Amino acid sequence: MPTKAQVVLDAANLKKAMRHLAKVDPDFARILKEVGHPELREMPTGFSGLMRSIVGQQVSVHAARSIWLRLEAAVPGMEPVDFLALSDEALRAVGLSGAKTRYGRSLATDIVEGRIDFNALHELDDAAAVAMLCQAKGIGPWTAEIYLMFAHGRPDIMPGLDLGLVVAAQHLKKLRKRPDAKRLLKIAEQWRPWRSAAALLLWHYRRSMPDWGPKPLKEVKEEAKAK
């Protein structure tokens, strides 16, 4: 019998999840009418998916794509052993910083030596899966959660540290200040067992909000102080 962790957020389940979210939360019912359904997001599984997340840390989308394409050319199969075979100079040449080179080597080593086992990952619940992935340097809770959502279709994850989700939840619930991760997770309790779908909807809503950008967000903050 499939475990809860094996339920996948695919296209059919995303529609089911949206119906559930609209039923349990009137605010979601409202924004679904305003902005429509979000799209699924996908990323590669295994070393390739996690390494892509590392490459994208603290750089623009355009820069991350350029670096990733050069790295793929240098490591065509994106196998951990092939990554480890490259010198630091070769990795710097494709655009990886010293820190990201160390993170990549840590991740590849953890996979080769069995500390991160993607076959065993399917048998773990979300918290245990996050803990396994976070053994590697450069893989924090947010990166692990995003990977599990997009690469493995885990249906019930809410990345509480994601700024976009925090801002969207603040507006959705008309909160005077941004919720911290603890409060966001508390708000998200009613969205179980489809919190990953709720996150997709919140990101979709965030992109449609008229106050996108730093200036409007500052104004919201100042307004909250004045009250």
Side-chain angles (χ1 to χ4, degrees):
M1 183 175 180
T3 64
K4 184 177 179 181
Q6 292 173 313
V7 176
V8 175
L9 186 61
D10 55 17
N13 278 333
L14 182 60
K15 292 179 180 178
K16 179 181 178 180
M18 291 300 116
R19 291 194 295 270
H20 171 81
L21 294 171
K23 183 177 179 180
V24 300
D25 191 330
D27 290 320
F28 273 151
R30 171 177 55 82
I31 66 170
L32 276 167
K33 291 180 180 178
E34 293 176 4
V35 302
H37 285 209
E39 294 182 357
L40 282 174
R41 299 188 188 183
E42 296 180 349
M43 65 190 299
T45 57
F47 177 69
S48 179
L50 285 169
M51 193 62 214
R52 192 162 189 164
S53 295
I54 289 173
V55 168
Q57 291 173 359
Q58 299 180 324
V59 296
S60 70
V61 173
H62 177 74
R65 177 172 173 76
S66 297
I67 296 169
W68 179 253
L69 290 174
R70 292 196 294 270
L71 182 59
E72 275 192 319
V75 191
M78 287 308 294
E79 293 294 333
V81 290
D82 296 330
F83 182 91
L84 290 170
L86 290 181
S87 66
D88 287 354
E89 291 73 17
L91 292 173
R92 281 198 296 269
V94 304
L96 289 185
S97 66
K100 290 181 181 180
T101 295
R102 291 193 298 275
Y103 297 160
R105 291 200 186 284
S106 171
L107 174 62
T109 300
D110 283 335
I111 294 170
V112 169
E113 296 181 356
R115 286 182 291 276
I116 293 179
D117 182 349
F118 292 105
N119 292 323
L121 199 66
H122 296 285
E123 304 302 322
L124 301 177
D125 63 22
D126 295 334
V130 168
M132 177 189 280
L133 296 174
C134 286
Q135 294 178 100
K137 294 177 182 177
I139 303 294
W142 181 87
T143 299
E145 288 167 344
I146 294 296
Y147 169 80
L148 291 171
M149 288 172 66
F150 297 161
H152 292 268
R154 296 264 180 146
D156 195 34
I157 292 176
M158 176 57 58
L161 298 174
D162 188 276
L163 180 60
L165 294 180
V166 167
V167 172
Q170 178 190 356
H171 284 253
L172 179 76
K173 295 301 178 182
K174 298 179 172 59
L175 304 176
R176 292 178 63 185
K177 63 179 182 179
R178 294 181 187 177
D180 58 15
K182 185 177 179 180
R183 188 175 184 192
L184 177 59
L185 291 174
K186 185 176 181 180
I187 292 170
E189 278 297 309
Q190 66 176 314
W191 303 333
R192 288 180 179 272
W194 299 110
R195 289 181 298 171
S196 297
L200 289 174
L201 181 53
L202 285 172
W203 280 315
H204 184 51
Y205 174 55
R206 181 70 187 100
R207 290 194 297 272
S208 304
M209 283 165 49
D211 64 340
W212 176 264
K215 185 176 180 181
L217 292 178
K218 183 179 180 182
E219 290 171 355
V220 169
K221 186 176 180 181
E222 295 297 328
E223 181 183 352
K225 286 182 178 179
K227 292 181 179 179

